[in-house]
Amino acid sequence: ATRAAVNESIKQLSASNNPRLPQLQQQASQLDKSFLEMHDAFAQRKALLDSSRKFQEFLQHAREEDAWIRNCEPRVTVSELGHDITSTSHLTKRLDAAVVDITAHKKSQFDAVISEGKELIQQNHFASGRVEDTLASLETHWKNLMAMVEARRKALDFAALQQQYLSDSNAADSW
C-alpha cells in the first residue's frame, strides 16, 4: 500500500471508532517515519550515484582526450625534413594543417573537458584530488604536444633555410 492509502485507511477507521485506532495510528506514524527516512536515504544515494556518474564521465572524456593527444604526436614528430625546398614546403603545410586541427580540437573538446574537471573541483566533489591529478596530467600532455609542434616548426624552418641556402649556392655556382 502507498502512504496515501494507509493514511486514507486510518481516516476511515477513525470515523468508525475502532478500538485499535490508537495502535494503528502509532503504527501508521512509524511507517510514515520509516518511509521518509528511506526516501531520504534513497535521495542521498541517488545524489552520490549522480556525483559518481559525473566523475566517471569526466574520466572517460579525459581518457579520450589523452588518447587523441597521443594519436596526434606522430603527426608532429616526423623526423623527415625534406630533400629540397618543395618537399620542405609541403611538410610545413602538413604541419600547418595539423596545427589547425589541434587548435580546433582544443577549442571544441579539450577546453570543455578541462572546464568539466574544474567544475567538479569547484563543487567540492568527493574525488576532487583525482580530478586535479587528471587535469594536471592532461595539461602536461597538451603542453608536451605543443612543444613537439614548436620543435617540428623550428626544424622545418631551419630545413627551409638550409634548402634555400643550398639553392642560392647552387645558383651562384652555376654563374
Side-chain angles (χ1 to χ4, degrees):
T2 64
R3 282 178 62 206
V6 169
N7 289 333
E8 184 62 35
S9 295
I10 294 297
K11 284 181 186 177
Q12 289 174 359
L13 287 174
S14 65
S16 67
N17 292 327
N18 189 317
R20 294 185 53 213
L21 183 63
Q23 180 186 8
L24 292 173
Q25 285 176 329
Q26 182 183 7
Q27 288 176 346
S29 175
Q30 288 175 346
L31 181 65
D32 197 42
K33 181 181 174 187
S34 295
F35 175 81
L36 291 175
E37 288 172 357
M38 184 176 62
H39 185 270
D40 289 345
F42 286 154
Q44 289 174 354
R45 178 70 177 155
K46 183 181 184 300
L48 185 61
L49 288 171
D50 285 344
S51 183
S52 180
R53 179 188 47 80
K54 286 179 183 178
F55 175 62
Q56 293 301 322
E57 286 175 350
F58 165 73
L59 287 179
Q60 178 62 31
H61 295 154
R63 281 190 294 270
E64 289 170 359
E65 288 307 305
D66 195 45
W68 188 88
I69 290 170
R70 290 182 196 279
N71 285 336
C72 278
E73 289 174 358
R75 291 173 63 190
V76 299
T77 57
V78 176
S79 60
E80 182 181 351
L81 298 175
H83 57 277
D84 60 15
I85 292 175
T86 305
S87 61
T88 302
S89 175
H90 176 71
L91 291 171
T92 301
K93 288 178 184 175
R94 285 178 53 191
L95 179 63
D96 291 342
V99 169
V100 167
D101 289 345
I102 290 168
T103 303
H105 184 84
K106 183 177 189 312
K107 288 179 183 176
S108 69
Q109 292 175 310
F110 185 83
D111 288 345
V113 173
I114 297 297
S115 294
E116 184 180 357
K118 288 180 179 179
E119 184 178 319
L120 288 174
I121 292 168
Q122 287 175 348
Q123 295 171 353
N124 293 323
H125 192 275
F126 67 87
S128 290
R130 193 155 167 220
V131 172
E132 288 173 348
D133 293 344
T134 303
L135 286 176
S137 175
L138 268 179
E139 288 174 341
T140 298
H141 291 158
W142 187 266
K143 287 177 184 174
N144 290 343
L145 177 65
M146 297 315 295
M148 290 176 203
V149 167
E150 188 59 31
R152 177 77 174 145
R153 172 137 349 260
K154 286 180 180 178
L156 286 171
D157 288 347
F158 184 71
L161 286 173
Q162 283 180 323
Q163 295 298 334
Q164 186 63 48
Y165 175 78
L166 288 174
S167 176
D168 291 348
S169 175
N170 288 338
D173 285 346
S174 68
W175 280 75

